[in-house]
Amino acid sequence: MTKKTIITSALLASMPAMLFGQSALNAFQLSQNNEPRGTARFVSMAGAFGALGGDLSTLTQNPAGLGVYTGSEVGASLDIDMQRTTFDAGSPFTSKQTRTSCSNFGYVGSAHTGSSIMPFFSWGASYNRAMSFERHYRGYIPRINTSMTNYMAATSQGYSPGEMWGGLEGDPDGAYDPFVESDLPWLNLLGYNTFLFNSQSPDGPYEGLFQPGSSGDASTQVRQRGYTDEYSINFGGNFANTVYWGLGFGIIDTNFTSETYYDEEIDNARIAGYSAIDCNTVDERKNTGTETGHAGWGLQNYQNVSGTGFNMKFGLIFKPIQQLRFGLAIHTPTWYHLTNTTNAWVDYRFDGPDYWLEGNENNNPFATSQQASWNTSMRTPWRFMASVAGVVGGRFILSADYEYNAYKSMSMSYPDDGSFSSINAAQADKQNFENDVKQYYQGTSTFRLGAEVRLNRHWSVRAGYSYRTAPATTESLNGENYIYTSGTQPMIEFQKSVQNITCGIGYRVGGFYADAAFVHSTRQSSWQAFTGFPASPAYGDYGIPANAPTPPRATVTDTRNRLVLSIGYKF
């Protein structure tokens, strides 16, 4: 059996479903909103503004807060983000980075209508950085119990190795490229065509590098970049200064890039054994089973998801008495049109026989995939908010919010633009996606509490706290589910709970204001190099057998300290 040393593929024109479809993990990445972001006053009270209003950030939370305005306002905010990420798999490693951005700016206008029924009508427009994806970490796993190559082998059982339509192996002369001309997962193709998994006979079964008696370690590096920005247009008013209403329209711009590298070093590995048929060319060598030796290999992945979307927000604030307010808000899903791009390469180094790959002293086969690109449409979760606030004497505010995110309602579909080989295949992938969402994720509850004390006519101090429950199911966090990912990225990360502790100070003189806020955020995630797997997983089999090998796992802890500075003018 011959194998290509280098495999390349062109941009996909027609792509089979279930090969690169949007994964539930990607969808969650674009749907999360676990940090208070906006003006410094809003942030310093942990975002507990659902029943208050009168702040530029309410345009992206409860648009009824716009109805509270009886004048106009313009303002902007600067965000300084200091992040520390620790990867702990028995040998902790910490990475740090600092980023600065303009996180918010906006304008609100208000007009007196002259009516006693609805005395004021307001409108506003704002920009808000809803989510920053900037993140970098790396780590070391001192001992592994299995290899990603064994996962590739297990998920390739039943695939033909031959150089024919649907086979794993590329034609050395380029007549058949399985990356383009088959429906097989690219990760498996990369592994097979670089000898990461092999078979004792042409009919299989396939076997990875890790075998009884093997030992090894692994390392990883992850760099994430990007943002979700929201541009909102809102309208609001009030009825008899008692019931305040708001309607908002949001235009969303998102861009998420992930670059990851994962490698393993394995002693007593099961590597391919070869003997020469004809020593003239590398591609005329024949598989004669496997041998034992040292193997080292790495997988680099690039993924980008970008696109635009829109959503709507509806809100009410009810003020039965001056000292008490209640708020309700509903956010529709964001309907996205997304472009997904991916490529990957594998590098494999091993101690092979002297005759293997004649002229290549490092025994270094590698495979690369060129860029693949496809379009998807995605729907994020519904969001529901309920709030209550007390205002005492115009000097003290205590506010509480509850928010529910219905993550199980995330959905995905494919535009009818020829990206997929058949409508039936696209429908099947959509159903698989929604099944995955229900298996991996659950609805979250977010609790926010904020307080403000006005010390005098110029100065105020604020504090807040928020807590969001884990969006991932217990089975996902514990590695009990078989996790399906997209493209060539097998790496998995599930978030646990998130908490934010906030404080701040504000200064007012005339219509001018300046505010500062500090946010301390902590979040833990469960990380796996790849999913746990049965011997031959079938789609829809979400359980992992108790005796299955444990993939490399770690805990990733993100600690963020943010400083937010805002200035503005009310007139």
Side-chain angles (χ1 to χ4, degrees):
M1 171 172 69
T2 62
K3 298 185 181 180
K4 293 177 68 175
T5 305
I6 302 176
I7 300 287
T8 62
S9 125
L11 180 70
L12 292 184
S14 179
M15 184 190 64
M18 289 183 58
L19 178 57
F20 291 110
Q22 186 79 39
S23 75
L25 280 70
N26 294 143
F28 172 77
Q29 186 73 36
L30 300 183
S31 300
Q32 59 180 318
N33 55 307
N34 50 37
E35 297 177 338
R37 287 187 170 271
T39 67
R41 186 183 181 212
F42 178 88
V43 167
S44 64
M45 295 176 64
F49 256 77
L52 291 174
D55 186 273
L56 291 174
S57 291
T58 63
L59 274 66
T60 57
Q61 188 195 50
N62 184 354
L66 193 64
V68 176
Y69 277 91
T70 58
S72 300
E73 178 181 356
V74 62
S77 301
L78 176 71
D79 197 305
I80 303 171
D81 191 342
M82 298 157 283
Q83 183 175 354
R84 183 175 72 249
T85 303
T86 300
F87 181 98
D88 189 358
S91 181
F93 193 94
T94 298
S95 304
K96 298 179 181 179
Q97 64 178 6
T98 299
R99 293 285 187 274
T100 302
S101 64
C102 176
S103 58
N104 174 274
F105 61 83
Y107 165 80
V108 168
S110 183
H112 192 283
T113 65
S115 168
S116 59
I117 298 176
M118 192 175 73
F120 286 94
F121 177 77
S122 302
W123 60 93
S126 72
Y127 157 83
N128 197 60
R129 174 140 294 180
M131 193 68 196
S132 172
F133 299 124
E134 299 293 336
R135 192 164 174 247
H136 173 230
Y137 64 86
R138 53 181 174 169
Y140 172 66
I141 302 98
R143 182 176 179 273
I144 59 176
N145 300 312
T146 187
S147 166
M148 188 184 292
T149 64
N150 293 58
Y151 163 72
M152 296 178 190
T155 55
S156 297
Q157 305 300 341
Y159 294 159
S160 168
E163 298 168 17
M164 61 184 71
W165 180 264
L168 286 163
E169 184 175 357
D171 183 346
D173 298 325
Y176 167 64
D177 187 339
F179 288 86
V180 174
E181 300 175 280
S182 78
D183 289 356
L184 303 183
W186 277 19
L187 181 64
N188 302 59
L189 296 175
L190 286 168
Y192 186 79
N193 285 279
T194 46
F195 304 89
L196 291 179
F197 63 90
N198 304 276
S199 59
Q200 296 284 352
S201 66
D203 298 325
Y206 299 119
E207 298 173 315
L209 296 176
F210 209 89
Q211 62 181 335
S214 294
S215 61
D217 56 16
S219 63
T220 189
Q221 185 163 191
V222 175
R223 183 176 295 276
Q224 297 173 341
R225 304 188 305 275
Y227 55 84
T228 295
D229 288 344
E230 180 171 11
Y231 303 86
S232 64
I233 300 173
N234 295 260
F235 304 93
N238 76 76
F239 296 107
N241 294 317
T242 302
V243 177
Y244 304 83
W245 63 271
L247 171 65
F249 302 88
I251 300 172
I252 314 299
D253 176 31
T254 192
N255 193 308
F256 172 70
T257 298
S258 173
E259 296 176 287
T260 66
Y261 184 75
Y262 173 81
D263 65 13
E264 297 176 342
E265 296 289 338
I266 304 173
D267 290 320
N268 296 317
R270 183 195 292 118
I271 61 177
Y274 281 78
S275 62
I277 299 175
D278 181 343
C279 294
N280 292 329
T281 65
V282 169
D283 291 317
E284 292 177 344
R285 300 191 182 278
K286 186 178 181 181
N287 186 355
T288 58
T290 58
E291 300 183 3
T292 297
H294 178 83
W297 73 280
L299 168 66
Q300 180 168 311
N301 257 294
Y302 169 88
Q303 287 189 324
N304 175 265
V305 183
S306 62
T308 57
F310 71 94
N311 60 35
M312 297 180 64
K313 304 174 182 67
F314 309 90
L316 290 172
I317 293 175
F318 175 55
K319 186 173 66 174
I321 58 174
Q322 188 64 32
Q323 294 79 18
L324 186 63
R325 303 179 185 185
F326 300 94
L328 291 173
I330 298 175
H331 292 202
T332 71
T334 297
W335 288 276
Y336 275 118
H337 178 78
L338 301 170
T339 298
N340 305 262
T341 304
T342 188
N343 60 38
W345 63 261
V346 164
D347 179 32
Y348 180 25
R349 313 161 303 280
F350 62 96
D351 298 333
D354 293 338
Y355 55 75
W356 205 97
L357 289 183
E358 188 173 276
N360 184 352
E361 296 179 357
N362 296 321
N363 289 335
N364 185 24
F366 68 95
T368 65
S369 68
Q370 295 288 346
Q371 178 173 291
S373 184
W374 67 100
N375 297 325
T376 55
S377 296
M378 192 189 86
R379 187 188 71 200
T380 66
W382 285 85
R383 297 171 61 189
F384 306 92
M385 302 178 195
S387 313
V388 61
V391 181
V392 180
R395 298 181 61 88
F396 176 71
I397 297 174
L398 183 64
S399 180
D401 285 5
Y402 170 78
E403 178 179 336
Y404 179 77
N405 274 255
Y407 281 108
K408 283 182 177 290
S409 67
M410 291 187 295
S411 184
M412 180 270 297
S413 61
Y414 298 96
D416 186 16
D417 60 0
S419 298
F420 272 72
S421 56
S422 73
I423 296 176
N424 288 339
Q427 287 296 324
D429 208 33
K430 170 181 168 64
Q431 187 60 55
N432 289 332
F433 170 92
E434 293 176 357
N435 290 339
D436 291 348
V437 166
K438 291 178 173 61
Q439 289 290 330
Y440 308 160
Y441 293 106
Q442 59 189 351
T444 61
S445 294
T446 301
F447 304 91
R448 294 187 285 262
L449 184 66
E452 178 183 77
V453 178
R454 180 167 294 181
L455 302 177
N456 53 48
R457 58 182 299 195
H458 296 301
W459 292 95
S460 300
V461 293
R462 308 168 184 122
Y465 175 81
S466 71
Y467 177 86
R468 189 209 66 187
T469 60
T473 63
T474 301
E475 294 79 8
S476 298
L477 290 172
N478 293 339
E480 299 171 13
N481 279 336
Y482 186 94
I483 307 300
Y484 295 91
T485 58
S486 67
T488 54
Q489 177 59 273
M491 198 173 293
I492 299 161
E493 189 174 347
F494 284 114
Q495 292 183 13
K496 300 180 182 179
S497 60
V498 179
Q499 68 171 351
N500 300 282
I501 301 171
T502 66
C503 62
I505 190 170
Y507 176 75
R508 299 283 188 277
V509 57
F512 172 80
Y513 65 85
D515 297 314
F518 177 78
V519 185
H520 177 75
S521 303
T522 56
R523 181 187 73 192
Q524 282 195 338
S525 302
S526 172
W527 178 93
Q528 285 186 192
F530 50 93
T531 184
F533 57 95
S536 182
Y539 201 96
D541 180 8
Y542 290 94
I544 304 297
N547 60 349
T550 304
R553 302 194 68 190
T555 297
V556 180
T557 303
D558 292 292
T559 303
R560 308 181 79 157
N561 293 312
R562 292 171 47 224
L563 180 63
V564 183
L565 305 172
S566 298
I567 58 171
Y569 186 73
K570 294 190 175 186
F571 54 97

